[in-house]
């Protein structure tokens, strides 16, 4: 997980606790955006890529439990049209 997170251009953190972990893992603090309760006020859309070599990759890193909202994220990405983006998912499902 450290390798994945450290290569990101921007990391969105839903908690300060997790933000602090990212910093300890080597992510520069200026590449981490903390937003409480999954609301990021002032977050603006990324401009479209200007050349074919640019790939916009988004990643989800975390548990694959339904309450994490991964299905909502996948549904949102499936609705994107005429946008060259990819979604990569890293995580594990734990059963009890």
């Amino acid at each position: 997980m450290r390798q994945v997170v450290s290569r990101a251009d921007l990391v969105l953190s839903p908690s300060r606790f997790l933000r602090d972990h990212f910093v300890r893992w080597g992510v520069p603090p200026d590449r981490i955006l903390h937003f409480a309760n999954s609301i990021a006020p002032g977050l603006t859309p990324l401009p479209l890529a200007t050349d074919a070599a640019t790939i916009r990759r988004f990643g989800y890193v975390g548990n694959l439990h339904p309450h994490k909202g991964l299905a909502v994220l996948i549904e949102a990405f499936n609705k994107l049209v005429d946008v060259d983006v990819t979604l990569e998912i890293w995580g594990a499902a734990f059963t009890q």
Side-chain angles (χ1 to χ4, degrees):
M1 186 183 298
R2 287 180 189 189
Q3 291 175 350
V4 171
V5 174
S6 67
R7 293 188 333 226
D9 293 327
L10 179 65
V11 176
L12 303 178
S13 176
S15 70
R16 283 189 171 79
F17 175 81
L18 188 54
R19 181 199 173 281
D20 292 344
H21 275 293
F22 292 146
V23 171
R24 282 194 296 277
W25 291 344
V27 179
D30 62 335
R31 289 193 353 220
I32 304 169
L33 177 61
H34 167 256
F35 56 99
N37 299 319
S38 302
I39 298 172
L43 189 62
T44 58
L46 289 172
L48 294 176
T50 56
D51 60 69
T54 301
I55 300 171
R56 301 274 189 204
R57 292 189 319 165
F58 292 82
Y60 169 88
V61 180
N63 293 328
L64 305 179
H65 295 290
H67 69 272
K68 293 290 186 175
L70 190 54
V72 175
L73 178 62
I74 293 169
E75 183 180 336
F77 265 79
N78 285 336
K79 290 182 179 181
L80 294 174
V81 290
D82 298 327
V83 180
D84 190 17
V85 297
T86 61
L87 173 63
E88 298 182 21
I89 299 169
W90 298 275
F94 301 100
T95 59
Q96 295 181 352

